[in-house]
Amino acid sequence: MNQTPQHIDEQFVQELKQRKESAFSKLYDNYSGALYGVLQRMLIKEELAQDALQESFVKIWKNIDSYDKSKGTLFTWMLNICRNHAIDMLRSKNMKQKIQDIDKSVGLVNKQASASTSEDHVLIKELVDNLKPEHRQMIEMAFYKGYTQEELAEELNMPLGTVKTRARAALIQLRKYFDK
């Protein structure tokens, strides 16, 4: 029987939610390389990236019930968990290094992720690239580099209200693309 990738993903997610060890092993085997690459780019140090990957997979395992396919792919959900964990690590260690730019991030993920995931990242990059320059800057710095709105205001030397307005406008514009 030939199943569609979407059907396989739904079945796979169900196995994860049932806490099947074989599903978790498959999850790790299929996604750890791509996620590790992103973490390594963000955290620079190999040992930090390894720790972050392990801790992220524990979070993924514990929180799999909160995954909602209507909000994105499984890989995107896991990528956000890893990204947020890496940002937390950077902030908790007071490491104020610049995190990767969007081109490096998307390029790395595209090389290591599946074809459908690569298409998602290319599409998102294209959508972000089509934003007004001031909106694109907000998305790149906030999402891909982990800046808070307060940090953006300081870094860009602009009022916090302006940063909030531009970030909101950028998100509204991106939402329009996804609602089509």
Side-chain angles (χ1 to χ4, degrees):
M1 176 166 60
N2 198 4
Q3 296 178 324
T4 65
Q6 184 178 14
H7 180 72
I8 293 170
D9 285 341
E10 289 174 21
Q11 182 180 357
F12 180 58
V13 170
Q14 286 305 314
E15 290 175 3
L16 288 168
K17 288 182 177 185
Q18 294 167 359
R19 306 283 190 233
K20 291 188 177 180
E21 286 186 38
S22 62
F24 184 73
S25 293
K26 182 178 173 184
L27 181 80
Y28 187 86
D29 291 345
N30 289 336
Y31 295 104
S32 63
L35 296 172
Y36 177 72
V38 171
L39 289 167
Q40 194 170 26
R41 287 278 226 190
M42 291 180 74
L43 297 170
I44 310 299
K45 295 183 179 178
E46 189 173 329
E47 63 194 36
L48 287 176
Q50 290 171 350
D51 289 346
L53 182 66
Q54 181 179 357
E55 292 165 12
S56 294
F57 265 95
V58 169
K59 285 182 180 182
I60 290 165
W61 181 249
K62 287 182 176 179
N63 296 303
I64 191 66
D65 289 327
S66 68
Y67 168 66
D68 180 0
K69 72 175 184 171
S70 69
K71 294 181 180 178
T73 66
L74 179 61
F75 179 77
T76 302
W77 179 76
M78 293 189 317
L79 181 62
N80 282 326
I81 288 174
C82 290
R83 180 188 154 276
N84 291 339
H85 185 69
I87 290 168
D88 289 345
M89 288 177 72
L90 290 169
R91 287 190 178 140
S92 71
K93 296 186 184 296
N94 293 324
M95 299 168 67
K96 290 294 183 179
Q97 59 190 311
K98 303 281 183 186
I99 303 172
Q100 70 211 9
D101 65 32
I102 188 172
D103 293 324
K104 291 178 186 172
S105 166
V106 171
L108 176 65
V109 171
N110 283 342
K111 290 177 188 172
Q112 296 178 344
S114 67
S116 64
T117 303
S118 296
E119 291 171 9
D120 290 345
H121 288 279
V122 169
L123 174 63
I124 290 170
K125 183 189 179 319
E126 288 174 3
L127 295 176
V128 170
D129 285 347
N130 287 326
L131 294 174
K132 292 180 182 177
E134 63 270 15
H135 294 165
R136 182 174 52 245
Q137 183 180 37
M138 293 295 124
I139 296 297
E140 288 175 350
M141 292 180 75
F143 185 78
Y144 294 103
K145 295 183 179 180
Y147 282 79
T148 65
Q149 290 181 332
E150 290 80 12
E151 291 169 337
L152 281 168
E154 185 178 322
E155 180 77 19
L156 298 173
N157 196 25
M158 67 175 56
L160 181 59
T162 303
V163 168
K164 288 181 177 188
T165 300
R166 287 184 181 177
R168 184 169 170 15
L171 291 173
I172 289 169
Q173 189 62 42
L174 286 173
R175 191 173 295 129
K176 287 179 184 177
Y177 292 126
F178 287 105
D179 289 341
K180 289 182 181 180

